[in-house]
Amino acid sequence: MDKRSEVVRLSSALAARVRYAQMVGGPILPAQIEALLDAARLLQACDVPWPPLVEQVLHDVAKDLEGPARTLDVEPGG
């Protein structure tokens, strides 16, 4: 398995954990979101599409954080 595939696999697993926490009202650690953002940036830099769940979780987090001065600095997709 190459490193990009491993990043896709791990980011999908982390996104699933965050999604579960969202569904049950559990805590979502800032480090989890930072790790998802880092993975998304890396995948984007390598022209690898984001896994659908990663994109959805980051979209939902961005909506939750949305305000006049707060946005995520990554584009979806890859």
Side-chain angles (χ1 to χ4, degrees), residues 31-44:
Q32 291 174 311
I33 302 307
E34 290 171 20
L36 277 178
L37 285 170
D38 289 344
R41 287 184 187 111
L42 178 62
L43 292 172
Q44 185 174 347

Side-chain angles (χ1 to χ4, degrees), residues 15-77:
R17 286 180 180 235
V18 172
R19 170 60 79 218
Y20 179 76
Q22 289 171 327
M23 289 171 38
V24 300
I28 299 170
L29 303 175
Q32 291 174 311
I33 302 307
E34 290 171 20
L36 277 178
L37 285 170
D38 289 344
R41 287 184 187 111
L42 178 62
L43 292 172
Q44 185 174 347
C46 294
D47 293 323
V48 176
W50 293 2
L53 189 56
V54 170
E55 188 169 347
Q56 184 61 48
V57 166
L58 289 178
H59 178 265
D60 291 348
V61 168
K63 275 180 34 181
D64 291 344
L65 296 175
E66 215 167 61
R70 297 189 79 169
T71 59
L72 298 177
D73 61 347
V74 236
E75 294 297 319

Side-chain angles (χ1 to χ4, degrees), residues 1-15:
M1 179 181 309
D2 74 352
K3 291 182 181 189
R4 289 174 291 195
S5 297
E6 186 69 0
V7 171
V8 168
R9 185 185 72 76
L10 291 172
S11 64
S12 294
L14 180 55

